[in-house]
Amino acid sequence: MAAIRVASTSLTLLASTSSSSCYYHSSPSVFTKFRFGHILDISFSLAPQSSRRAKRMAHSIARATLGLTQPNKIDPPKIDLVEWKGDILAVGVTEKDMAKDENSKFKNSILQKLDSQLGGLLSEATSEEDFTGKAGQSTVLRLPGLGSKRVGLYGLGALASATVAYRSFGEAVALAAKSSQANNVAITLASSEGIPTESKPSTASAIAAGAILGTFDDNRFKSESKKPALKSVDIIGLGSGPEIEKKLKYAEDVCSGIILGKELVNAPANVLTPGVLAEEATRIASEHSDVFTAKILDVELCKELKMGAYLGVAAASANPPYFIHLCYKPPSGSVKTKLALVGKGLTFDSGGYNIKTGAGCMIELMKFDMGGSAAVLGAAKALGQIKPAGVEVHFIVAACENMISGTGMRPGDILTASNGKTIEVNNTDAEGRLTLADALVYACNQGVEKIVDLATLTGACIVALGPSIAGRMIYNSFISYKLAKEVFGASEISGEKLWRMPMEESYWETMKSGVADMVNTGGRQGGAITAALFLKQFVDEKVQWMHIDIAGPVWNDKKKNATGFGISTLVEWVLNNSS
């Protein structure tokens, strides 16, 4: 068990740190055993800097569930960086902070003080290593002279004002702590006094989120794994009080959703079946039954709703499909806005009869084809803890597998969606849009005003935008432009990158069929755009709708791990729509 302390608040985060053997074709209950192992309890201590010697105090409350326990009232102590005792003292620096005078001494007062205590070794090391404070740079020195065993400088770039810079800083410190098996670290900024008071809570929250996510390791499927040693993080110089505690609680809630999303995407298809995904959704609703209800539709119920496009995709698999609908309603007060989050939920995509073959087909990674549903359910988990007022949210996933068998969908088949439109299947590997078609019709029937769907929909979007940026698309109407502005604003706050792609109506000509209302794919050119145009056919024109293609950023190929992309943005967007 690891802990992160807060001087007046203790945060507890569930994380998988235990190892287990792998189960095959598991029941829903088995995946629950996999997901959360030991409790990772890290406590954040918030304190101002001081030039006087001060004794650190912290209050930590042991708990077995996520959530914020009412803490005892403790005045945060002032902490002198030179006097701080622990394993790693991490200082975030901008390029401006690294400026030196004619004597090669730091101009920044904090760096000047640390360097003086170390006899000039800090300035000497940064010069030798050409450390300039650029984003992503770091240097960690193990030196005598301070209470800390190590002093680390972490580059924040030219101007550290974005959420992503501070979150990356927190994550880098957590990774350094992990590699050195550090028990406690202190994090500060060389120019914290330059941050506006109103921005300090968000800055502390971003650092804390990075530290939590950087500490997390998904070791459920490894025979051996190290337990995280990190127990406490002191965030120094960003103030304290109720506003920062509120922001740290928010960081905890969002991170718990991101971790769930990562674990869902990381889980292999022989563990995470459509039934298991439905079970996980039901578990979210049962854990937050004061605000959530769950409705899981089986094949027969989907037939009653005439979901022919969705059921056509699911027909080949031995694992039955499950249509997931969670509904969030605030614990009190009236509902002013109704929203829907729709996520693509292909727990495995073989491509069907148009099977994925050849280099670059990524069939071995097609467990991540449910990344949209992971984002939606991760957001549901976070929002169940935050409990925003005034907003009703529908979380919708058409979960299934795209496999090959004698009962499966064939090229040339014609499917009828739940809004009556017919689709000629000219490629069975363009299956996600078929499942989303019925999911979007269902979402519109819930009486919602705005819909955001997320899907690992096209390789074309990866080609266009690369592995780090999602494509966002809206149809050309005034009401959807308003939605686009809302979602883009939320992504700016969350630090997740979205880029607007055009919805070129003339491209729809390539989607016309001679025997049905449309085909399901228009070929390679403009593939991300034609996919979005296809989805548009299943959205009520009176409903604001945005499609986000997350095929690129859902997976980090370097780390060989899921990213949890989209969850922070969705949570932020829902909160912006709440009262």
PDB file of all heavy atoms in Angstrom, residues 88-95 97-98 131 133-140 150-157 165 168-177 185-189:
ATOM      1  N   ILE A  88      13.143  12.797  -2.482  1.00  0.00           N
ATOM      2  CA  ILE A  88      13.364  13.613  -3.683  1.00  0.00           C
ATOM      3  C   ILE A  88      12.717  14.983  -3.497  1.00  0.00           C
ATOM      4  O   ILE A  88      11.539  15.080  -3.168  1.00  0.00           O
ATOM      5  CB  ILE A  88      12.766  12.950  -4.946  1.00  0.00           C
ATOM      6  CG1 ILE A  88      13.408  11.594  -5.214  1.00  0.00           C
ATOM      7  CG2 ILE A  88      12.954  13.863  -6.162  1.00  0.00           C
ATOM      8  CD1 ILE A  88      12.781  10.864  -6.407  1.00  0.00           C
ATOM      9  N   LEU A  89      13.501  16.032  -3.712  1.00  0.00           N
ATOM     10  CA  LEU A  89      12.981  17.389  -3.784  1.00  0.00           C
ATOM     11  C   LEU A  89      12.961  17.767  -5.263  1.00  0.00           C
ATOM     12  O   LEU A  89      14.011  17.880  -5.901  1.00  0.00           O
ATOM     13  CB  LEU A  89      13.868  18.359  -2.996  1.00  0.00           C
ATOM     14  CG  LEU A  89      13.539  19.857  -3.151  1.00  0.00           C
ATOM     15  CD1 LEU A  89      12.124  20.156  -2.659  1.00  0.00           C
ATOM     16  CD2 LEU A  89      14.553  20.705  -2.409  1.00  0.00           C
ATOM     17  N   ALA A  90      11.759  17.899  -5.849  1.00  0.00           N
ATOM     18  CA  ALA A  90      11.611  18.166  -7.282  1.00  0.00           C
ATOM     19  C   ALA A  90      11.184  19.613  -7.503  1.00  0.00           C
ATOM     20  O   ALA A  90      10.203  20.073  -6.921  1.00  0.00           O
ATOM     21  CB  ALA A  90      10.577  17.225  -7.880  1.00  0.00           C
ATOM     22  N   VAL A  91      11.918  20.315  -8.344  1.00  0.00           N
ATOM     23  CA  VAL A  91      11.644  21.721  -8.628  1.00  0.00           C
ATOM     24  C   VAL A  91      11.316  21.872 -10.113  1.00  0.00           C
ATOM     25  O   VAL A  91      12.123  21.521 -10.977  1.00  0.00           O
ATOM     26  CB  VAL A  91      12.846  22.615  -8.268  1.00  0.00           C
ATOM     27  CG1 VAL A  91      12.492  24.086  -8.478  1.00  0.00           C
ATOM     28  CG2 VAL A  91      13.296  22.362  -6.837  1.00  0.00           C
ATOM     29  N   GLY A  92      10.140  22.381 -10.401  1.00  0.00           N
ATOM     30  CA  GLY A  92       9.757  22.653 -11.782  1.00  0.00           C
ATOM     31  C   GLY A  92      10.276  24.011 -12.206  1.00  0.00           C
ATOM     32  O   GLY A  92      10.066  25.011 -11.503  1.00  0.00           O
ATOM     33  N   VAL A  93      10.985  24.061 -13.332  1.00  0.00           N
ATOM     34  CA  VAL A  93      11.614  25.302 -13.771  1.00  0.00           C
ATOM     35  C   VAL A  93      11.248  25.615 -15.223  1.00  0.00           C
ATOM     36  O   VAL A  93      11.172  24.720 -16.056  1.00  0.00           O
ATOM     37  CB  VAL A  93      13.155  25.248 -13.636  1.00  0.00           C
ATOM     38  CG1 VAL A  93      13.569  25.114 -12.184  1.00  0.00           C
ATOM     39  CG2 VAL A  93      13.744  24.109 -14.446  1.00  0.00           C
ATOM     40  N   THR A  94      11.016  26.871 -15.500  1.00  0.00           N
ATOM     41  CA  THR A  94      10.848  27.317 -16.878  1.00  0.00           C
ATOM     42  C   THR A  94      12.219  27.690 -17.439  1.00  0.00           C
ATOM     43  O   THR A  94      13.214  27.766 -16.701  1.00  0.00           O
ATOM     44  CB  THR A  94       9.926  28.537 -16.951  1.00  0.00           C
ATOM     45  OG1 THR A  94      10.554  29.621 -16.256  1.00  0.00           O
ATOM     46  CG2 THR A  94       8.570  28.239 -16.311  1.00  0.00           C
ATOM     47  N   GLU A  95      12.256  27.954 -18.741  1.00  0.00           N
ATOM     48  CA  GLU A  95      13.516  28.371 -19.342  1.00  0.00           C
ATOM     49  C   GLU A  95      13.975  29.710 -18.763  1.00  0.00           C
ATOM     50  O   GLU A  95      15.174  29.944 -18.591  1.00  0.00           O
ATOM     51  CB  GLU A  95      13.344  28.466 -20.866  1.00  0.00           C
ATOM     52  CG  GLU A  95      13.116  27.106 -21.509  1.00  0.00           C
ATOM     53  CD  GLU A  95      12.869  27.194 -23.004  1.00  0.00           C
ATOM     54  OE1 GLU A  95      13.555  28.003 -23.675  1.00  0.00           O
ATOM     55  OE2 GLU A  95      11.992  26.472 -23.510  1.00  0.00           O
ATOM     56  N   ASP A  97      13.501  30.675 -15.688  1.00  0.00           N
ATOM     57  CA  ASP A  97      14.043  30.423 -14.346  1.00  0.00           C
ATOM     58  C   ASP A  97      15.528  30.040 -14.385  1.00  0.00           C
ATOM     59  O   ASP A  97      16.250  30.211 -13.394  1.00  0.00           O
ATOM     60  CB  ASP A  97      13.275  29.303 -13.643  1.00  0.00           C
ATOM     61  CG  ASP A  97      11.837  29.671 -13.353  1.00  0.00           C
ATOM     62  OD1 ASP A  97      11.570  30.864 -13.151  1.00  0.00           O
ATOM     63  OD2 ASP A  97      10.980  28.758 -13.336  1.00  0.00           O
ATOM     64  N   MET A  98      15.966  29.502 -15.519  1.00  0.00           N
ATOM     65  CA  MET A  98      17.342  29.008 -15.611  1.00  0.00           C
ATOM     66  C   MET A  98      18.343  30.107 -15.964  1.00  0.00           C
ATOM     67  O   MET A  98      19.541  29.832 -16.122  1.00  0.00           O
ATOM     68  CB  MET A  98      17.411  27.893 -16.658  1.00  0.00           C
ATOM     69  CG  MET A  98      16.630  26.638 -16.271  1.00  0.00           C
ATOM     70  SD  MET A  98      17.167  25.949 -14.695  1.00  0.00           S
ATOM     71  CE  MET A  98      18.858  25.514 -15.076  1.00  0.00           C
ATOM     72  N   PHE A 131      21.254  21.688 -19.352  1.00  0.00           N
ATOM     73  CA  PHE A 131      19.860  21.719 -18.901  1.00  0.00           C
ATOM     74  C   PHE A 131      19.374  23.159 -18.960  1.00  0.00           C
ATOM     75  O   PHE A 131      19.893  24.035 -18.265  1.00  0.00           O
ATOM     76  CB  PHE A 131      19.747  21.178 -17.471  1.00  0.00           C
ATOM     77  CG  PHE A 131      18.331  21.202 -16.941  1.00  0.00           C
ATOM     78  CD1 PHE A 131      17.486  20.125 -17.148  1.00  0.00           C
ATOM     79  CD2 PHE A 131      17.852  22.309 -16.243  1.00  0.00           C
ATOM     80  CE1 PHE A 131      16.179  20.144 -16.659  1.00  0.00           C
ATOM     81  CE2 PHE A 131      16.556  22.347 -15.761  1.00  0.00           C
ATOM     82  CZ  PHE A 131      15.714  21.249 -15.968  1.00  0.00           C
ATOM     83  N   GLY A 133      15.800  23.973 -19.042  1.00  0.00           N
ATOM     84  CA  GLY A 133      14.413  24.116 -18.603  1.00  0.00           C
ATOM     85  C   GLY A 133      13.393  23.838 -19.685  1.00  0.00           C
ATOM     86  O   GLY A 133      12.199  24.121 -19.504  1.00  0.00           O
ATOM     87  N   LYS A 134      13.842  23.288 -20.827  1.00  0.00           N
ATOM     88  CA  LYS A 134      12.896  22.953 -21.881  1.00  0.00           C
ATOM     89  C   LYS A 134      11.944  21.855 -21.416  1.00  0.00           C
ATOM     90  O   LYS A 134      12.303  21.022 -20.584  1.00  0.00           O
ATOM     91  CB  LYS A 134      13.644  22.507 -23.139  1.00  0.00           C
ATOM     92  CG  LYS A 134      14.394  23.622 -23.845  1.00  0.00           C
ATOM     93  CD  LYS A 134      15.089  23.110 -25.099  1.00  0.00           C
ATOM     94  CE  LYS A 134      15.832  24.249 -25.802  1.00  0.00           C
ATOM     95  NZ  LYS A 134      16.546  23.768 -27.014  1.00  0.00           N
ATOM     96  N   ALA A 135      10.744  21.868 -21.965  1.00  0.00           N
ATOM     97  CA  ALA A 135       9.748  20.866 -21.588  1.00  0.00           C
ATOM     98  C   ALA A 135      10.281  19.467 -21.837  1.00  0.00           C
ATOM     99  O   ALA A 135      10.837  19.171 -22.899  1.00  0.00           O
ATOM    100  CB  ALA A 135       8.465  21.081 -22.386  1.00  0.00           C
ATOM    101  N   GLY A 136      10.147  18.605 -20.831  1.00  0.00           N
ATOM    102  CA  GLY A 136      10.607  17.224 -20.939  1.00  0.00           C
ATOM    103  C   GLY A 136      12.009  16.992 -20.424  1.00  0.00           C
ATOM    104  O   GLY A 136      12.398  15.848 -20.183  1.00  0.00           O
ATOM    105  N   GLN A 137      12.807  18.063 -20.242  1.00  0.00           N
ATOM    106  CA  GLN A 137      14.155  17.902 -19.698  1.00  0.00           C
ATOM    107  C   GLN A 137      14.094  17.634 -18.196  1.00  0.00           C
ATOM    108  O   GLN A 137      13.193  18.126 -17.506  1.00  0.00           O
ATOM    109  CB  GLN A 137      14.990  19.160 -19.925  1.00  0.00           C
ATOM    110  CG  GLN A 137      15.582  19.296 -21.305  1.00  0.00           C
ATOM    111  CD  GLN A 137      16.582  20.432 -21.363  1.00  0.00           C
ATOM    112  OE1 GLN A 137      16.363  21.513 -20.793  1.00  0.00           O
ATOM    113  NE2 GLN A 137      17.692  20.228 -22.053  1.00  0.00           N
ATOM    114  N   SER A 138      15.051  16.878 -17.710  1.00  0.00           N
ATOM    115  CA  SER A 138      15.149  16.688 -16.260  1.00  0.00           C
ATOM    116  C   SER A 138      16.578  16.328 -15.891  1.00  0.00           C
ATOM    117  O   SER A 138      17.320  15.771 -16.697  1.00  0.00           O
ATOM    118  CB  SER A 138      14.199  15.574 -15.775  1.00  0.00           C
ATOM    119  OG  SER A 138      14.582  14.330 -16.316  1.00  0.00           O
ATOM    120  N   THR A 139      16.943  16.699 -14.699  1.00  0.00           N
ATOM    121  CA  THR A 139      18.228  16.285 -14.154  1.00  0.00           C
ATOM    122  C   THR A 139      18.048  16.053 -12.659  1.00  0.00           C
ATOM    123  O   THR A 139      17.456  16.880 -11.960  1.00  0.00           O
ATOM    124  CB  THR A 139      19.333  17.329 -14.415  1.00  0.00           C
ATOM    125  OG1 THR A 139      20.567  16.866 -13.864  1.00  0.00           O
ATOM    126  CG2 THR A 139      18.983  18.682 -13.807  1.00  0.00           C
ATOM    127  N   VAL A 140      18.490  14.898 -12.189  1.00  0.00           N
ATOM    128  CA  VAL A 140      18.348  14.533 -10.782  1.00  0.00           C
ATOM    129  C   VAL A 140      19.729  14.283 -10.203  1.00  0.00           C
ATOM    130  O   VAL A 140      20.503  13.476 -10.734  1.00  0.00           O
ATOM    131  CB  VAL A 140      17.465  13.280 -10.610  1.00  0.00           C
ATOM    132  CG1 VAL A 140      17.332  12.917  -9.126  1.00  0.00           C
ATOM    133  CG2 VAL A 140      16.091  13.513 -11.227  1.00  0.00           C
ATOM    134  N   ARG A 150      17.842  13.436  -2.849  1.00  0.00           N
ATOM    135  CA  ARG A 150      18.039  13.811  -4.245  1.00  0.00           C
ATOM    136  C   ARG A 150      17.384  15.157  -4.502  1.00  0.00           C
ATOM    137  O   ARG A 150      16.348  15.474  -3.909  1.00  0.00           O
ATOM    138  CB  ARG A 150      17.431  12.775  -5.194  1.00  0.00           C
ATOM    139  CG  ARG A 150      18.135  11.431  -5.185  1.00  0.00           C
ATOM    140  CD  ARG A 150      17.375  10.446  -6.070  1.00  0.00           C
ATOM    141  NE  ARG A 150      18.045   9.162  -6.174  1.00  0.00           N
ATOM    142  CZ  ARG A 150      17.920   8.180  -5.295  1.00  0.00           C
ATOM    143  NH1 ARG A 150      17.140   8.351  -4.237  1.00  0.00           N
ATOM    144  NH2 ARG A 150      18.562   7.039  -5.447  1.00  0.00           N
ATOM    145  N   VAL A 151      17.977  15.927  -5.417  1.00  0.00           N
ATOM    146  CA  VAL A 151      17.377  17.168  -5.883  1.00  0.00           C
ATOM    147  C   VAL A 151      17.193  17.038  -7.390  1.00  0.00           C
ATOM    148  O   VAL A 151      18.138  16.704  -8.109  1.00  0.00           O
ATOM    149  CB  VAL A 151      18.256  18.392  -5.573  1.00  0.00           C
ATOM    150  CG1 VAL A 151      17.634  19.654  -6.158  1.00  0.00           C
ATOM    151  CG2 VAL A 151      18.444  18.544  -4.074  1.00  0.00           C
ATOM    152  N   GLY A 152      15.985  17.286  -7.850  1.00  0.00           N
ATOM    153  CA  GLY A 152      15.706  17.165  -9.278  1.00  0.00           C
ATOM    154  C   GLY A 152      15.154  18.459  -9.847  1.00  0.00           C
ATOM    155  O   GLY A 152      14.338  19.130  -9.212  1.00  0.00           O
ATOM    156  N   LEU A 153      15.624  18.824 -11.018  1.00  0.00           N
ATOM    157  CA  LEU A 153      15.065  19.946 -11.761  1.00  0.00           C
ATOM    158  C   LEU A 153      14.322  19.387 -12.962  1.00  0.00           C
ATOM    159  O   LEU A 153      14.838  18.527 -13.680  1.00  0.00           O
ATOM    160  CB  LEU A 153      16.164  20.913 -12.236  1.00  0.00           C
ATOM    161  CG  LEU A 153      17.016  21.585 -11.159  1.00  0.00           C
ATOM    162  CD1 LEU A 153      17.984  22.574 -11.807  1.00  0.00           C
ATOM    163  CD2 LEU A 153      16.153  22.290 -10.119  1.00  0.00           C
ATOM    164  N   TYR A 154      13.105  19.886 -13.196  1.00  0.00           N
ATOM    165  CA  TYR A 154      12.257  19.379 -14.268  1.00  0.00           C
ATOM    166  C   TYR A 154      11.815  20.537 -15.145  1.00  0.00           C
ATOM    167  O   TYR A 154      11.215  21.502 -14.670  1.00  0.00           O
ATOM    168  CB  TYR A 154      11.039  18.653 -13.688  1.00  0.00           C
ATOM    169  CG  TYR A 154      11.416  17.398 -12.948  1.00  0.00           C
ATOM    170  CD1 TYR A 154      11.860  17.445 -11.628  1.00  0.00           C
ATOM    171  CD2 TYR A 154      11.368  16.150 -13.574  1.00  0.00           C
ATOM    172  CE1 TYR A 154      12.231  16.296 -10.952  1.00  0.00           C
ATOM    173  CE2 TYR A 154      11.734  14.996 -12.904  1.00  0.00           C
ATOM    174  CZ  TYR A 154      12.173  15.072 -11.594  1.00  0.00           C
ATOM    175  OH  TYR A 154      12.541  13.930 -10.936  1.00  0.00           O
ATOM    176  N   GLY A 155      12.103  20.439 -16.440  1.00  0.00           N
ATOM    177  CA  GLY A 155      11.791  21.516 -17.366  1.00  0.00           C
ATOM    178  C   GLY A 155      10.310  21.635 -17.670  1.00  0.00           C
ATOM    179  O   GLY A 155       9.640  20.625 -17.936  1.00  0.00           O
ATOM    180  N   LEU A 156       9.805  22.860 -17.629  1.00  0.00           N
ATOM    181  CA  LEU A 156       8.396  23.134 -17.926  1.00  0.00           C
ATOM    182  C   LEU A 156       8.224  23.867 -19.249  1.00  0.00           C
ATOM    183  O   LEU A 156       7.092  24.112 -19.676  1.00  0.00           O
ATOM    184  CB  LEU A 156       7.778  23.978 -16.800  1.00  0.00           C
ATOM    185  CG  LEU A 156       7.792  23.361 -15.401  1.00  0.00           C
ATOM    186  CD1 LEU A 156       7.310  24.381 -14.388  1.00  0.00           C
ATOM    187  CD2 LEU A 156       6.932  22.116 -15.356  1.00  0.00           C
ATOM    188  N   GLY A 157       9.328  24.223 -19.904  1.00  0.00           N
ATOM    189  CA  GLY A 157       9.236  24.924 -21.175  1.00  0.00           C
ATOM    190  C   GLY A 157       9.377  26.424 -21.019  1.00  0.00           C
ATOM    191  O   GLY A 157       9.752  26.932 -19.953  1.00  0.00           O
ATOM    192  N   ALA A 165       1.513  20.877 -18.973  1.00  0.00           N
ATOM    193  CA  ALA A 165       2.887  21.058 -18.488  1.00  0.00           C
ATOM    194  C   ALA A 165       3.004  20.646 -17.030  1.00  0.00           C
ATOM    195  O   ALA A 165       3.946  19.940 -16.633  1.00  0.00           O
ATOM    196  CB  ALA A 165       3.316  22.514 -18.660  1.00  0.00           C
ATOM    197  N   SER A 168       2.398  16.817 -16.657  1.00  0.00           N
ATOM    198  CA  SER A 168       3.597  16.090 -17.098  1.00  0.00           C
ATOM    199  C   SER A 168       4.703  16.177 -16.045  1.00  0.00           C
ATOM    200  O   SER A 168       5.448  15.214 -15.830  1.00  0.00           O
ATOM    201  CB  SER A 168       4.097  16.651 -18.430  1.00  0.00           C
ATOM    202  OG  SER A 168       3.138  16.454 -19.445  1.00  0.00           O
ATOM    203  N   PHE A 169       4.798  17.327 -15.389  1.00  0.00           N
ATOM    204  CA  PHE A 169       5.764  17.515 -14.302  1.00  0.00           C
ATOM    205  C   PHE A 169       5.483  16.536 -13.165  1.00  0.00           C
ATOM    206  O   PHE A 169       6.378  15.810 -12.709  1.00  0.00           O
ATOM    207  CB  PHE A 169       5.694  18.965 -13.829  1.00  0.00           C
ATOM    208  CG  PHE A 169       6.512  19.295 -12.611  1.00  0.00           C
ATOM    209  CD1 PHE A 169       7.730  18.682 -12.369  1.00  0.00           C
ATOM    210  CD2 PHE A 169       6.049  20.251 -11.701  1.00  0.00           C
ATOM    211  CE1 PHE A 169       8.489  19.011 -11.240  1.00  0.00           C
ATOM    212  CE2 PHE A 169       6.793  20.583 -10.582  1.00  0.00           C
ATOM    213  CZ  PHE A 169       8.000  19.953 -10.341  1.00  0.00           C
ATOM    214  N   GLY A 170       4.226  16.483 -12.714  1.00  0.00           N
ATOM    215  CA  GLY A 170       3.863  15.558 -11.639  1.00  0.00           C
ATOM    216  C   GLY A 170       4.124  14.118 -12.020  1.00  0.00           C
ATOM    217  O   GLY A 170       4.606  13.310 -11.213  1.00  0.00           O
ATOM    218  N   GLU A 171       3.835  13.771 -13.281  1.00  0.00           N
ATOM    219  CA  GLU A 171       4.048  12.398 -13.739  1.00  0.00           C
ATOM    220  C   GLU A 171       5.532  12.059 -13.782  1.00  0.00           C
ATOM    221  O   GLU A 171       5.941  10.960 -13.394  1.00  0.00           O
ATOM    222  CB  GLU A 171       3.424  12.214 -15.122  1.00  0.00           C
ATOM    223  CG  GLU A 171       3.469  10.786 -15.618  1.00  0.00           C
ATOM    224  CD  GLU A 171       2.668  10.582 -16.889  1.00  0.00           C
ATOM    225  OE1 GLU A 171       2.017  11.545 -17.355  1.00  0.00           O
ATOM    226  OE2 GLU A 171       2.681   9.456 -17.418  1.00  0.00           O
ATOM    227  N   ALA A 172       6.348  13.014 -14.255  1.00  0.00           N
ATOM    228  CA  ALA A 172       7.792  12.781 -14.320  1.00  0.00           C
ATOM    229  C   ALA A 172       8.389  12.559 -12.937  1.00  0.00           C
ATOM    230  O   ALA A 172       9.256  11.698 -12.740  1.00  0.00           O
ATOM    231  CB  ALA A 172       8.475  13.971 -15.006  1.00  0.00           C
ATOM    232  N   VAL A 173       7.912  13.318 -11.960  1.00  0.00           N
ATOM    233  CA  VAL A 173       8.396  13.140 -10.585  1.00  0.00           C
ATOM    234  C   VAL A 173       7.980  11.763 -10.048  1.00  0.00           C
ATOM    235  O   VAL A 173       8.778  11.070  -9.406  1.00  0.00           O
ATOM    236  CB  VAL A 173       7.859  14.260  -9.675  1.00  0.00           C
ATOM    237  CG1 VAL A 173       8.255  14.002  -8.217  1.00  0.00           C
ATOM    238  CG2 VAL A 173       8.379  15.616 -10.121  1.00  0.00           C
ATOM    239  N   ALA A 174       6.748  11.362 -10.329  1.00  0.00           N
ATOM    240  CA  ALA A 174       6.281  10.043  -9.874  1.00  0.00           C
ATOM    241  C   ALA A 174       7.099   8.924 -10.503  1.00  0.00           C
ATOM    242  O   ALA A 174       7.429   7.933  -9.841  1.00  0.00           O
ATOM    243  CB  ALA A 174       4.799   9.872 -10.209  1.00  0.00           C
ATOM    244  N   LEU A 175       7.442   9.065 -11.778  1.00  0.00           N
ATOM    245  CA  LEU A 175       8.252   8.046 -12.451  1.00  0.00           C
ATOM    246  C   LEU A 175       9.655   7.979 -11.849  1.00  0.00           C
ATOM    247  O   LEU A 175      10.222   6.893 -11.686  1.00  0.00           O
ATOM    248  CB  LEU A 175       8.325   8.348 -13.949  1.00  0.00           C
ATOM    249  CG  LEU A 175       7.016   8.179 -14.729  1.00  0.00           C
ATOM    250  CD1 LEU A 175       7.182   8.666 -16.162  1.00  0.00           C
ATOM    251  CD2 LEU A 175       6.565   6.728 -14.717  1.00  0.00           C
ATOM    252  N   ALA A 176      10.215   9.157 -11.512  1.00  0.00           N
ATOM    253  CA  ALA A 176      11.530   9.183 -10.873  1.00  0.00           C
ATOM    254  C   ALA A 176      11.470   8.527  -9.503  1.00  0.00           C
ATOM    255  O   ALA A 176      12.381   7.783  -9.100  1.00  0.00           O
ATOM    256  CB  ALA A 176      12.022  10.624 -10.743  1.00  0.00           C
ATOM    257  N   ALA A 177      10.377   8.785  -8.776  1.00  0.00           N
ATOM    258  CA  ALA A 177      10.193   8.166  -7.462  1.00  0.00           C
ATOM    259  C   ALA A 177      10.076   6.651  -7.590  1.00  0.00           C
ATOM    260  O   ALA A 177      10.596   5.888  -6.771  1.00  0.00           O
ATOM    261  CB  ALA A 177       8.953   8.742  -6.784  1.00  0.00           C
ATOM    262  N   VAL A 185       8.268  12.494  -1.581  1.00  0.00           N
ATOM    263  CA  VAL A 185       8.851  13.534  -2.418  1.00  0.00           C
ATOM    264  C   VAL A 185       8.197  14.860  -2.098  1.00  0.00           C
ATOM    265  O   VAL A 185       7.065  14.916  -1.591  1.00  0.00           O
ATOM    266  CB  VAL A 185       8.700  13.217  -3.925  1.00  0.00           C
ATOM    267  CG1 VAL A 185       9.311  11.880  -4.287  1.00  0.00           C
ATOM    268  CG2 VAL A 185       7.238  13.274  -4.358  1.00  0.00           C
ATOM    269  N   ALA A 186       8.897  15.932  -2.411  1.00  0.00           N
ATOM    270  CA  ALA A 186       8.336  17.283  -2.332  1.00  0.00           C
ATOM    271  C   ALA A 186       8.388  17.886  -3.724  1.00  0.00           C
ATOM    272  O   ALA A 186       9.358  17.704  -4.454  1.00  0.00           O
ATOM    273  CB  ALA A 186       9.119  18.142  -1.354  1.00  0.00           C
ATOM    274  N   ILE A 187       7.325  18.583  -4.088  1.00  0.00           N
ATOM    275  CA  ILE A 187       7.240  19.208  -5.412  1.00  0.00           C
ATOM    276  C   ILE A 187       6.990  20.704  -5.228  1.00  0.00           C
ATOM    277  O   ILE A 187       6.111  21.105  -4.473  1.00  0.00           O
ATOM    278  CB  ILE A 187       6.104  18.590  -6.243  1.00  0.00           C
ATOM    279  CG1 ILE A 187       6.346  17.091  -6.469  1.00  0.00           C
ATOM    280  CG2 ILE A 187       5.969  19.300  -7.586  1.00  0.00           C
ATOM    281  CD1 ILE A 187       5.238  16.390  -7.237  1.00  0.00           C
ATOM    282  N   THR A 188       7.773  21.494  -5.931  1.00  0.00           N
ATOM    283  CA  THR A 188       7.579  22.939  -5.889  1.00  0.00           C
ATOM    284  C   THR A 188       7.903  23.523  -7.249  1.00  0.00           C
ATOM    285  O   THR A 188       8.431  22.834  -8.132  1.00  0.00           O
ATOM    286  CB  THR A 188       8.467  23.585  -4.801  1.00  0.00           C
ATOM    287  OG1 THR A 188       8.058  24.943  -4.618  1.00  0.00           O
ATOM    288  CG2 THR A 188       9.936  23.530  -5.175  1.00  0.00           C
ATOM    289  N   LEU A 189       7.571  24.780  -7.434  1.00  0.00           N
ATOM    290  CA  LEU A 189       7.883  25.498  -8.657  1.00  0.00           C
ATOM    291  C   LEU A 189       8.863  26.613  -8.332  1.00  0.00           C
ATOM    292  O   LEU A 189       8.721  27.302  -7.321  1.00  0.00           O
ATOM    293  CB  LEU A 189       6.613  26.092  -9.277  1.00  0.00           C
ATOM    294  CG  LEU A 189       5.527  25.087  -9.671  1.00  0.00           C
ATOM    295  CD1 LEU A 189       4.274  25.831 -10.129  1.00  0.00           C
ATOM    296  CD2 LEU A 189       6.015  24.158 -10.770  1.00  0.00           C
TER     297      LEU A 189
END
